[in-house]
């Protein structure tokens, strides 16, 4: 028996008004079917994707599970298309439990042409749920579409590691942050690392060590340099270090020295083989020769503390991997919570690249 | 830089100090169904302290490995998230178990040695949180033994104790238990748990009241006519006859959960949202409730009889396994209370709770006064009602008068409804997850303070005493039916109970 029950509408050479009317009609229809069907009203998500790769994005969105936006509008871009085709779906659990709610999720896929992009707002605006926050995601680099939707979106979802030009990606995020909230999946992937590093220095005794950090060695997936830089930017901004430009002595390695309240701190970022995007490990070295390392491991991060005398102790900082589906879901959840420390970390990161 | 941790600013999950959590009653039902799954979920989310150890203490004699096996089974059965095998294995890798009776000094010697060993392994003294989830008669025993063995204090780390409900079964017991606990622990170390307060929807009441300016002008005796607080269950007592027949509906739900709801509804806004400020305001509300005197005028009780629930015939209370055939324990209780202060004077607060009612619902209905003049041809339009629903579908609903479409000016009530489930993506954590984390952090806002527990008992104790000294065959209501008519006796003129 199917667990999800879809109501589908489709039309070729259609208009935004027709799509909007169809959505409204389908919602009334679903509610008439069962009073337990209630539309979720949290967030609009607009995805602008290349038509050839839209399936991959659809798969990623399916994997976010319960952290789905209320209304997802996918603009599938073909270079030469001149008319709009659309498929709208209102999906809900096929078997709502008596006495409980069954939230509906609405998805609209619109085939658009490159010519539509500069005025995409005129197509999308009638389709978003009014008064809900609207987030834009352009995973295939349609930044012109993000610009076109500037007036109607409050949040931009991006992944700084998607762009091979790390400096350009971080500059773009800084620009977007001027008038919109930015949710950066690279930043979200670093959250468990930031939480664990913060916890390691949380006791009053350990807090004293923060000014005694003399070296940070960060290991990351070859394509996750941006994530590593953002973590260094976060440490730099939080600990009052003065950013200075990093150099690249060899491919996959960046290094440099920043100055903090306690003295100089050397930063090293090294790309290492890793199965999944993100960070592999970090070592923080203190002036007395002690160190703290966190490494990605089974069941969480493996922590190793080494005393000045070289005595080591290790333990696991428990936490389940969220997987890439979980990261995207977390990005959608974070859309409604402005992260006030991302901006300073991003600016400090820019200082490391200047 | 050393006063606060600059790295923790802006993080969604704030650090918790390295902690060893000791569960007394570690093989009990609560541990299996709630505590161990909650601890697993905290581990899954990465919310446990950087260093964390778990120790179970209970009477069953078993080695560490068997306890680990029991914990794995319990977590797999009751966790809200599907366990990640690697996290589960690591969480329980070093779990310890200490068998023995709670009055046996050797248990505490072994516990002390285990805690010292875990501290040595961590290379630093770890905070200790003792969670007492045993039968209530062991609460003072465990507290005193912890004190005798010097486990109540540690010069180099925090020591806290979490005490499950019920916190006494009468005012005298609550006072005695408080005295015995506070002879060993400081109040700041004590966390009396009422898991209702860990529920997101209960906390949402504070947000609803104090983050929305539109309700505050109405939130007083000038605009509110009366309030009804309902906690109805459709289930019977199941296999809990041993507990329930001694407790009854009043002790089971009114003394703790329902009075918590009442205080959150009536309290003044705290200056800051800190543990003592919030609890000070709640205690003021409890103090403003008159000690009940004419019990039969303000409290009623009843028992469910044989009936039909969801099409299935079910036992009456007296037929339930383990219930004495002459039991006069109430399965339904209703009260009328008044909060005698400037804001609420003269407003009746009706509370009712019961088992085997038509459906499961916990709600607060705030009924506003009718409009002073109805211009639409003498129609009897019901006054506005604001309904705060805690379960099953958490939300807020406001009934409004609206014109029926057509040529005549006919008014009928309609609902403007907000459902939490439609507006937030996040899954609410289990109440125990939040409360365990708060206790390890030393954050006491969502726990009951000593004076609060006693003030709750001051209201319920005279009713319990009166009912116990007047055992009799109680009014009956068929299982699955609306609450018994006997509750109507409490209503002031013009009021009527909402249908469940």
């Amino acid at each position: 028996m199917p667990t999800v029950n879809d109501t589908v509408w489709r039309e070729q050479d259609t208009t935004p008004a027709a799509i909007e009317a169809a959505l409204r009609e389908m919602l009334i229809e679903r509610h008439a079917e069962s009073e337990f069907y209630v539309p979720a009203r949290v967030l609009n998500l607009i995805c602008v994707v290349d038509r050839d790769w839209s399936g991959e994005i659809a798969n990623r969105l399916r994997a976010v599970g319960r952290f789905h936006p209320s209304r997802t509008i996918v603009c599938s871009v073909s270079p030469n298309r001149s008319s709009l085709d659309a498929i709208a779906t209102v999906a809900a659990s096929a078997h709502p439990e008596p006495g409980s709610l069954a939230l509906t999720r609405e998805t609209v896929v619109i085939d658009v042409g490159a010519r539509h992009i500069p005025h995409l707002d005129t197509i999308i605006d009638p389709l978003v749920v009014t008064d809900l926050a609207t987030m834009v995601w352009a995973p295939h680099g349609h930044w012109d579409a993000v610009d076109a939707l500037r007036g109607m979106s409050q949040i931009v979802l991006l992944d700084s590691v998607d762009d091979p030009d790390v400096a350009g990606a971080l500059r773009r995020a800084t620009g977007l942050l001027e008038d919109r909230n930015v949710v950066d999946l690279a930043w979200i992937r670093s959250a468990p690392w930031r939480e664990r590093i913060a916890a390691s220095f949380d006791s009053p005794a350990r807090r004293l060590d923060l000014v005694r950090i003399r070296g940070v060695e960060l290991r990351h997936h070859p394509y996750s340099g941006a994530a590593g830089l953002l973590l260094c930017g976060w440490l730099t901004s939080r600990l009052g270090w003065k950013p200075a430009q990093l150099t690249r002595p060899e491919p996959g390695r960046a290094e440099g020295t920043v100055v903090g309240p306690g003295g100089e701190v050397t930063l090293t970022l090294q790309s290492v083989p890793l199965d999944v995007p993100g960070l592999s490990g970090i070592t923080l070295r203190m002036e007395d020769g002690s160190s703290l390392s966190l490494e990605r491991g089974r069941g969480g991060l493996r922590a190793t503390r080494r005393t000045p005398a070289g005595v080591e102790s290790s333990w696991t900082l428990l936490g389940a991997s969220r997987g890439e589906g979980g990261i995207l879901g977390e990005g959608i959840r974070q859309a409604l919570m402005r992260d006030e420390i991302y901006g300073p970390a991003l600016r400090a990161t820019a200082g490391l690249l200047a | 830089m050393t006063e606060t941790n600059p790295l923790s600013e802006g993080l969604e999950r704030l650090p918790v100090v390295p902690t060893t959590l000791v569960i007394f009653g570690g093989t009990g039902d609560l541990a299996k169904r709630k505590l161990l799954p909650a601890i697993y979920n905290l581990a899954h989310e990465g919310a446990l302290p950087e260093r964390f150890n778990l120790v179970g203490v209970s009477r069953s004699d078993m080695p560490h490995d068997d306890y680990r096996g029991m914990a794995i089974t319990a977590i797999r059965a009751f966790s809200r998230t599907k366990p990640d095998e690697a996290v589960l294995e690591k969480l329980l890798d070093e779990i310890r178990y200490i068998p023995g009776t709670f009055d046996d000094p050797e248990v505490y010697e072994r516990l002390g040695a285990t805690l010292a060993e875990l501290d040595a392994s961590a290379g630093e003294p770890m905070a200790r949180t003792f969670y007492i989830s045993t039968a209530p008669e062991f609460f003072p025993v465990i507290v005193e033994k912890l004190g005798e063995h010097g486990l109540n204090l540690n010069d180099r780390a925090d020591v806290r104790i979490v005490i499950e409900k019920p916190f006494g079964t009468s005012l005298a017991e609550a006072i005695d238990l408080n005295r015995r606990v506070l002879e060993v622990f400081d109040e700041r170390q004590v966390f009396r748990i009422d898991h209702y307060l860990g529920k997101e929807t209960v906390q949402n009441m504070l947000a609803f009241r104090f983050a929305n300016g539109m309700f505050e002008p109405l939130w007083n005796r000038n605009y509110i006519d009366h309030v009804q607080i309902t906690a109805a269950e459709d289930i019977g007592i199941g296999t809990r006859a041993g507990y329930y027949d001694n407790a009854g509906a009043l002790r089971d739900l009114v003394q703790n959960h329902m009075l918590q709801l009442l205080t959150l509804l009536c309290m003044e806004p705290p200056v800051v949202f800190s543990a003592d400020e919030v609890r000070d305001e709640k205690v003021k509300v409890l103090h403003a409730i008159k000690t009940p005197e004419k019990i039969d005028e303000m409290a009623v009780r009843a028992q469910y009889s044989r009936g039909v629930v969801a099409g299935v015939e079910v036992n009456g209370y007296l037929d339930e396994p383990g219930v004495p055939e002459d039991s006069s324990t109430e399965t339904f209780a209703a009260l009328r209370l008044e909060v005698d202060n400037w804001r609420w004077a003269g407003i009746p607060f009706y509370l009712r709770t019961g088992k085997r009612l038509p459906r499961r619902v916990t709600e607060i209905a705030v009924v506003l006064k009718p409009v002073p003049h109805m211009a639409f041809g003498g129609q009897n339009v019901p006054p506005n009602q604001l309904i705060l629903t805690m379960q099953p579908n958490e939300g807020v609903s406001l009934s409004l008068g609206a014109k029926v479409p057509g040529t005549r000016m006919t008014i009928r009530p309609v609902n403007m409804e907000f459902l939490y489930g439609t507006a937030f993506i996040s899954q609410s954590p289990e109440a125990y997850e939040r409360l365990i984390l708060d206790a390890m952090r030393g954050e006491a806002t969502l726990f009951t303070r000593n004076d609060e527990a006693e003030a709750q008992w001051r209201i319920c104790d005279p009713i319990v005493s009166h009912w116990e000294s007047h055992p009799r065959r109680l009014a009956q209501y068929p299982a699955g039916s609306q609450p018994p008519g006997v509750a109507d006796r409490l209503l002031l003129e013009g009021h009527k109970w909402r249908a469940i």
Side-chain angles (χ1 to χ4, degrees), chain A residues 55-188:
Chain A
E56 182 230 331
I57 297 303
N59 285 339
R60 285 184 70 182
L61 283 170
R62 265 194 285 275
V64 304
R66 66 182 310 284
F67 292 106
H68 60 83
S70 316
R71 182 171 287 183
T72 304
I73 301 166
V74 179
C75 300
S76 181
V77 184
S78 305
N80 301 318
R81 170 172 280 279
S82 58
S83 63
L84 302 178
D85 292 354
I87 301 175
T89 312
V90 176
S93 164
H95 310 290
E97 281 187 28
S100 68
L101 299 175
L103 293 185
T104 57
R105 60 164 91 180
E106 299 141 38
T107 307
V108 182
V109 180
I110 314 174
D111 287 321
V112 300
R115 62 187 284 267
H116 293 114
I117 296 292
H119 302 291
L120 198 58
D121 54 331
T122 61
I123 297 171
I124 300 300
D125 204 0
L127 301 180
V128 295
V129 183
T130 314
D131 292 337
L132 293 189
T134 297
M135 178 157 75
V136 185
W137 184 33
H140 300 146
H142 289 283
W143 299 108
D144 45 353
V146 174
D147 285 342
L149 297 170
R150 196 178 197 105
M152 55 170 294
S153 58
Q154 299 79 42
I155 310 141
V156 178
L157 177 71
L158 51 81
D159 191 346
S160 294
V161 302
D162 278 349
D163 197 327
D165 173 13
V166 174
L170 296 176
R171 259 198 311 277
R172 184 180 307 112
T174 309
L176 289 167
L177 206 52
E178 279 174 18
D179 62 356
R180 279 179 280 185
N181 185 12
V182 172
V183 176
D184 188 342
L185 298 181
W187 175 248
I188 286 173

Side-chain angles (χ1 to χ4, degrees), chain A residues 220 247-255 268-271:
Chain A
H220 60 82
T247 59
R248 295 197 172 273
E250 59 188 77
R253 185 177 174 87
E255 57 190 32
T268 312
L269 288 97
Q270 179 71 52
S271 108

Side-chain angles (χ1 to χ4, degrees), chain B residues 174-239:
Chain B
I175 291 171
D176 182 57
L177 184 53
N178 265 337
R179 181 185 57 76
R180 294 169 78 175
V181 169
L182 296 177
E183 276 173 5
V184 178
F185 290 93
D186 185 270
E187 177 62 27
R188 282 170 305 176
Q189 295 176 278
V190 184
F191 295 75
R192 295 170 196 80
I193 209 162
D194 179 346
H195 74 273
Y196 235 53
L197 284 178
K199 288 181 183 284
E200 285 284 320
T201 43
V202 174
Q203 295 164 52
N204 259 325
M205 279 181 67
L206 294 171
F208 176 82
R209 283 200 56 202
F210 302 131
N212 297 293
M214 66 187 290
F215 298 109
E216 176 55 24
L218 308 177
W219 217 252
N220 56 55
R221 64 194 160 83
N222 297 326
Y223 294 93
I224 291 176
D225 185 72
H226 69 278
V227 174
Q228 296 186 21
I229 305 180
T230 301
E233 293 178 286
D234 54 354
I235 55 169
I237 59 162
T239 56

